[in-house]
Amino acid sequence: MGRLFGTDGVRGVANSELTPELAFNIGKAGAFVLRKENERPVIVIGKDTRVSGDMLENALTAGILAVGGNVIKVGVIPTPAVAFLVRHYQADAGIVISASHNSFEFNGIKFFNGEGFKLDDALEDKIEDIIIRDIDTNSHMTGDAIGRCVEAEENAEDLYCDFLLSTADFRLDGMKVVLDCANGASYKTAPRVYRALGAEVVTIGDDPDGVNINDHIGSTHPEKLQQTVVAEKANIGLAFDGDADRLIVVDEKGMIIDGDKTICICAKMMKEQGRLAKNKVTGTVMSNLGFHKYIEDTLGAEVDVTGVGDRYVLESMLKSGCVIGGEQSGHIIFLEYTTTGDGTLSSLQFMKAIKASGRKPSELSAEIEIFPQVLVNAQVAGEKKDIWKHDAEISAAIEKVENEMAGNGRVLIRPSGTEPLVRVMIEGKDIEHIYGLAQDLADLIEKKSK
């Protein structure tokens, strides 16, 4: 068995790669590792709308109960809601059953600790080691040592919506908002919050049937949202992914505002309000050059750069004291309010920025120049993925391209973590020109790796 945990939990095709047997073992091992000393662990479990969610939820629950843990099932609810509810219920951990933006046949299992943060690598390694080495954590408990499912005193959806509303000190009366819930976990909570704020709400992707999650809808497929915003003459469109931890914005003209631009717009508001702690914003190696230029040159702030993945963004933020960071994909963390990406919360912060500016979304977006970006893959043997670091000819070619860009573009070389590929990404002002440069570099890397 290879490594179970990726950058965002355990993922796979449900009932094939991610089986109920594996979920049962993850439940047992997770409860064993995360329990507090001499206490019966309490674990909150939430899920998105996939048909396989019930199967995995019950298998996980059985594993947790078998080692004496108790489970609070909160049903279909966004991933960030579980991070919030773990803290509210003072539970030992939370588990989300979701494969985020992936199609319905996939599912995943990811953990939050008792503070609502995703598990660090060391704890994941402990859970994985127990499963791979088939260590018996059960001790064959019997009688009242076996755990049980417990009912929370307060409704989880109510608690989460109340929390979201507590972050919004404004009203949206007179605004028409289109919400794309991806037929996923936000299909109840996001419309409820926006209606409570007085908006006229139009919804799409709010009729989940177990198999239509992310199906040509949601933050990775915003085309229908763009069309609906224009057709409805709405003020704004907001798209979430299947587990509602991402946000992609569509302005009143039907144009996309991606995560990089959303972060820039919110960071400007935060700086003007004196909330931009440490005068820093956190991005990743994939953040657009235009993002860097806006944050550094326009706002006069500093960008901390980290690896791709919201867990690495969070780790950097916790170390630096930064309170806003995220990715192009729309994973954005507002550390003043929450411990993970939250699409609905991010959308409320964006709406706050619009209200504070008195301008339209398209006007705010136009202030930020996003540079065209191309990505070309070079096929290489697995053992040759690092050749671009050591080969003199490749290094010279990369340096030549960087010198040609002269501050108005950049080159990023990234080996794939899962495929025999080296990804060549170039940003610049002329897309045809940079595509040619990227293709030439990829061809050279392929040639030298043979």
Side-chain angles (χ1 to χ4, degrees):
M1 182 184 290
R3 179 166 172 81
L4 293 176
F5 285 88
T7 56
D8 203 21
V10 180
R11 292 256 179 109
V13 176
N15 213 26
S16 172
E17 298 162 333
L18 182 52
T19 63
E21 293 85 358
L22 177 56
F24 176 78
N25 288 328
I26 290 172
K28 281 205 305 180
F32 179 79
V33 168
L34 295 170
R35 71 189 306 159
K36 295 172 184 174
E37 190 175 356
N38 298 321
E39 286 187 12
R40 183 185 290 273
V42 176
I43 298 180
V44 177
I45 299 181
K47 60 187 176 182
D48 66 21
T49 57
R50 292 163 212 270
V51 67
S52 58
D54 292 347
M55 174 187 74
L56 295 173
E57 177 188 49
N58 286 308
L60 274 165
T61 299
I64 294 165
L65 303 187
V67 293
N70 286 346
V71 169
I72 301 174
K73 294 182 180 181
V74 295
V76 173
I77 203 159
T79 285
V82 174
F84 164 75
L85 292 166
V86 166
R87 301 192 304 275
H88 181 85
Y89 292 141
Q90 297 183 320
D92 294 77
I95 299 177
V96 175
I97 304 166
S98 174
S100 188
H101 60 283
N102 294 121
S103 53
F104 85 96
E105 67 270 21
F106 291 90
N107 218 324
I109 295 171
K110 54 189 169 186
F111 283 83
F112 290 97
N113 65 21
E115 284 73 49
F117 294 105
K118 290 181 180 177
L119 293 193
D120 60 33
D121 292 340
L123 285 174
E124 286 186 346
D125 287 344
K126 286 183 180 180
I127 295 170
E128 188 166 294
D129 184 58
I130 289 170
I131 296 169
I132 291 175
R133 291 171 57 200
D134 196 23
I135 297 171
D136 185 8
T137 60
N138 192 339
S139 301
H140 308 290
M141 291 178 174
T142 59
D144 64 1
I146 296 171
R148 63 185 65 193
C149 291
V150 296
E151 292 289 332
E153 292 182 2
E154 301 162 280
N155 180 271
E157 185 182 309
D158 292 346
L159 288 169
Y160 178 58
C161 288
D162 288 346
F163 159 69
L164 290 172
L165 288 168
S166 75
T167 71
D169 56 353
F170 54 84
R171 296 282 303 170
L172 297 174
D173 302 275
M175 290 196 73
K176 192 173 191 177
V177 179
V178 182
L179 300 179
D180 179 352
C181 301
N183 290 315
S186 66
Y187 82 102
K188 289 183 180 179
T189 53
R192 176 174 167 177
V193 166
Y194 272 86
R195 289 188 177 110
L197 290 172
E200 179 185 351
V201 176
V202 176
T203 54
I204 60 175
D206 63 336
D207 188 23
D209 61 10
V211 301
N212 62 0
I213 187 171
N214 301 315
D215 186 10
H216 295 92
I217 203 152
S219 63
T220 51
H221 300 282
E223 298 83 10
K224 186 174 181 180
L225 177 62
Q226 292 175 274
Q227 295 166 4
T228 306
V229 167
V230 173
E232 292 283 346
K233 296 182 172 57
N235 299 99
I236 195 167
L238 305 166
F240 313 112
D241 63 335
D243 69 335
D245 62 357
R246 294 188 188 192
L247 165 71
I248 292 295
V249 178
V250 170
D251 70 22
E252 78 284 357
K253 297 179 179 179
M255 301 302 292
I256 291 172
I257 301 175
D258 69 4
D260 279 351
K261 281 196 170 188
T262 298
I263 294 168
C264 287
I265 290 166
C266 291
K268 180 182 180 183
M269 169 193 69
M270 293 169 72
K271 177 149 188 175
E272 290 172 347
Q273 295 176 349
R275 296 166 51 204
L276 194 63
K278 307 296 183 181
N279 201 35
K280 284 188 174 187
V281 177
T282 302
T284 76
V285 292
M286 294 299 290
S287 298
N288 194 272
L289 180 61
F291 169 90
H292 287 265
K293 286 182 173 291
Y294 186 83
I295 297 298
E296 294 165 358
D297 299 342
T298 303
L299 297 190
E302 181 182 349
V303 177
D304 281 343
V305 179
T306 188
V308 174
D310 62 327
R311 66 158 52 205
Y312 304 116
V313 172
L314 177 62
E315 286 175 5
S316 176
M317 292 172 70
L318 291 172
K319 288 177 184 176
S320 70
C322 174
V323 293
I324 180 173
E327 304 180 271
Q328 282 178 326
S329 63
H331 272 127
I332 306 171
I333 300 172
F334 289 88
L335 207 51
E336 294 169 298
Y337 300 110
T338 189
T339 55
T340 190
D342 187 326
T344 308
L345 189 146
S346 297
S347 73
L348 292 173
Q349 287 297 301
F350 189 88
M351 299 301 291
K352 184 171 185 173
I354 292 173
K355 298 287 285 188
S357 70
R359 302 170 70 193
K360 295 178 179 179
S362 63
E363 294 171 339
L364 296 178
S365 175
E367 293 182 353
I368 307 148
E369 180 187 13
I370 293 297
F371 284 56
Q373 186 181 83
V374 298
L375 183 68
V376 178
N377 291 326
Q379 294 276 349
V380 298
E383 68 274 10
K384 296 288 186 69
K385 282 187 180 181
D386 289 338
I387 191 170
W388 60 276
K389 292 181 180 179
H390 312 297
D391 185 272
E393 187 178 353
I394 296 173
S395 297
I398 293 171
E399 184 178 0
K400 181 181 177 182
V401 173
E402 289 174 334
N403 290 338
E404 182 179 332
M405 294 293 180
N408 288 310
R410 66 175 181 134
V411 181
L412 178 66
I413 313 292
R414 292 180 63 233
S416 169
T418 57
E419 300 174 89
L421 300 173
V422 172
R423 307 190 193 282
V424 179
M425 189 276 283
I426 299 184
E427 289 173 350
K429 290 183 176 291
D430 183 335
I431 192 165
E432 291 186 6
H433 180 58
I434 63 175
Y435 180 80
L437 295 174
Q439 188 66 62
D440 289 345
L441 282 179
D443 290 345
L444 180 61
I445 291 170
E446 281 194 7
K447 175 185 172 185
K448 301 289 284 190
S449 68
K450 291 179 179 177

